[in-house]
Short mmCIF file of all heavy atoms in Angstrom, two decimals:
data_model
loop_
_atom_site.label_atom_id
_atom_site.label_comp_id
_atom_site.label_asym_id
_atom_site.label_seq_id
_atom_site.Cartn_x
_atom_site.Cartn_y
_atom_site.Cartn_z
N LEU A 53 2.26 12.09 -0.56
CA LEU A 53 1.65 12.20 0.72
C LEU A 53 0.90 10.92 1.11
O LEU A 53 1.07 10.41 2.21
CB LEU A 53 0.63 13.40 0.76
CG LEU A 53 -0.21 13.55 2.04
CD1 LEU A 53 0.70 13.83 3.22
CD2 LEU A 53 -1.22 14.65 1.84
N LEU A 54 0.14 10.35 0.17
CA LEU A 54 -0.61 9.11 0.42
C LEU A 54 0.40 7.95 0.66
O LEU A 54 0.16 7.07 1.48
CB LEU A 54 -1.46 8.80 -0.75
CG LEU A 54 -2.83 9.47 -0.78
CD1 LEU A 54 -3.66 9.02 -1.95
CD2 LEU A 54 -3.60 9.23 0.53
N HIS A 55 1.52 7.94 -0.06
CA HIS A 55 2.51 6.88 0.08
C HIS A 55 3.01 6.81 1.53
O HIS A 55 2.97 5.72 2.14
CB HIS A 55 3.72 7.15 -0.85
CG HIS A 55 4.85 6.18 -0.63
ND1 HIS A 55 4.94 4.97 -1.26
CD2 HIS A 55 5.96 6.31 0.18
CE1 HIS A 55 6.06 4.35 -0.88
NE2 HIS A 55 6.71 5.16 -0.03
N TRP A 56 3.41 7.92 2.09
CA TRP A 56 3.96 7.94 3.43
C TRP A 56 2.90 7.77 4.47
O TRP A 56 3.14 7.12 5.51
CB TRP A 56 4.80 9.21 3.69
CG TRP A 56 6.00 9.26 2.81
CD1 TRP A 56 6.22 10.06 1.72
CD2 TRP A 56 7.14 8.44 2.90
NE1 TRP A 56 7.45 9.82 1.18
CE2 TRP A 56 8.05 8.81 1.87
CE3 TRP A 56 7.53 7.41 3.80
CZ2 TRP A 56 9.28 8.20 1.66
CZ3 TRP A 56 8.76 6.79 3.61
CH2 TRP A 56 9.62 7.17 2.55
N LEU A 57 1.70 8.30 4.24
CA LEU A 57 0.61 8.14 5.18
C LEU A 57 0.20 6.65 5.28
O LEU A 57 0.03 6.12 6.35
CB LEU A 57 -0.57 9.00 4.77
CG LEU A 57 -1.71 9.21 5.77
CD1 LEU A 57 -1.21 9.85 7.04
CD2 LEU A 57 -2.83 10.05 5.13
N MET A 58 0.03 6.02 4.08
CA MET A 58 -0.37 4.63 4.08
C MET A 58 0.76 3.74 4.61
O MET A 58 0.48 2.75 5.26
CB MET A 58 -0.72 4.22 2.64
CG MET A 58 -2.02 4.88 2.13
SD MET A 58 -2.43 4.42 0.44
CE MET A 58 -3.06 2.73 0.71
N ALA A 59 2.01 4.10 4.33
CA ALA A 59 3.14 3.33 4.90
C ALA A 59 3.06 3.33 6.44
O ALA A 59 3.26 2.30 7.06
CB ALA A 59 4.46 3.92 4.40
N LEU A 60 2.83 4.47 6.98
CA LEU A 60 2.74 4.61 8.50
C LEU A 60 1.58 3.75 8.98
O LEU A 60 1.76 3.00 9.98
CB LEU A 60 2.55 6.08 8.86
CG LEU A 60 2.28 6.34 10.35
CD1 LEU A 60 3.51 5.96 11.19
CD2 LEU A 60 1.96 7.84 10.59
N PHE A 61 0.45 3.87 8.35
CA PHE A 61 -0.73 3.10 8.79
C PHE A 61 -0.49 1.60 8.67
O PHE A 61 -0.79 0.82 9.60
CB PHE A 61 -1.97 3.47 7.98
CG PHE A 61 -2.51 4.86 8.28
CD1 PHE A 61 -3.43 5.46 7.46
CD2 PHE A 61 -2.11 5.53 9.40
CE1 PHE A 61 -3.92 6.71 7.70
CE2 PHE A 61 -2.59 6.82 9.70
CZ PHE A 61 -3.50 7.43 8.81
N ILE A 62 0.05 1.18 7.53
CA ILE A 62 0.29 -0.24 7.27
C ILE A 62 1.27 -0.88 8.25
O ILE A 62 1.08 -1.95 8.80
CB ILE A 62 0.71 -0.48 5.82
CG1 ILE A 62 -0.53 -0.27 4.89
CG2 ILE A 62 1.26 -1.89 5.61
CD1 ILE A 62 -0.11 -0.20 3.40
N ILE A 63 2.39 -0.12 8.52
CA ILE A 63 3.38 -0.63 9.47
C ILE A 63 2.75 -0.78 10.87
O ILE A 63 2.99 -1.76 11.58
CB ILE A 63 4.61 0.31 9.52
CG1 ILE A 63 5.38 0.17 8.20
CG2 ILE A 63 5.51 0.00 10.71
CD1 ILE A 63 6.47 1.21 8.00
N CYS A 64 1.93 0.22 11.29
CA CYS A 64 1.29 0.15 12.59
C CYS A 64 0.28 -0.99 12.62
O CYS A 64 0.17 -1.68 13.65
CB CYS A 64 0.61 1.46 12.89
SG CYS A 64 1.73 2.83 13.23
N LEU A 65 -0.44 -1.20 11.56
CA LEU A 65 -1.42 -2.26 11.48
C LEU A 65 -0.75 -3.67 11.52
O LEU A 65 -1.22 -4.54 12.23
CB LEU A 65 -2.26 -2.15 10.20
CG LEU A 65 -3.32 -1.03 10.22
CD1 LEU A 65 -3.82 -0.80 8.80
CD2 LEU A 65 -4.47 -1.44 11.13
N LEU A 66 0.37 -3.82 10.79
CA LEU A 66 1.11 -5.06 10.81
C LEU A 66 1.68 -5.33 12.19
O LEU A 66 1.58 -6.44 12.74
CB LEU A 66 2.26 -5.02 9.77
CG LEU A 66 1.84 -5.08 8.32
CD1 LEU A 66 3.06 -4.88 7.42
CD2 LEU A 66 1.19 -6.44 7.98
N ALA A 67 2.20 -4.29 12.85
CA ALA A 67 2.75 -4.46 14.18
C ALA A 67 1.68 -4.81 15.20
O ALA A 67 1.86 -5.76 16.00
CB ALA A 67 3.47 -3.17 14.62
N SER A 68 0.53 -4.13 15.13
CA SER A 68 -0.52 -4.42 16.10
C SER A 68 -1.13 -5.82 15.81
O SER A 68 -1.48 -6.53 16.76
CB SER A 68 -1.66 -3.37 16.01
OG SER A 68 -2.24 -3.34 14.73
N GLY A 69 -1.18 -6.21 14.55
CA GLY A 69 -1.69 -7.53 14.22
C GLY A 69 -0.79 -8.66 14.74
O GLY A 69 -1.26 -9.68 15.26
#
Side-chain angles (χ1 to χ4, degrees):
L53 175 62
L54 279 182
H55 173 87
W56 293 109
L57 192 60
M58 292 179 76
L60 175 63
F61 290 165
I62 288 169
I63 290 170
C64 290
L65 286 166
L66 289 172
S68 64

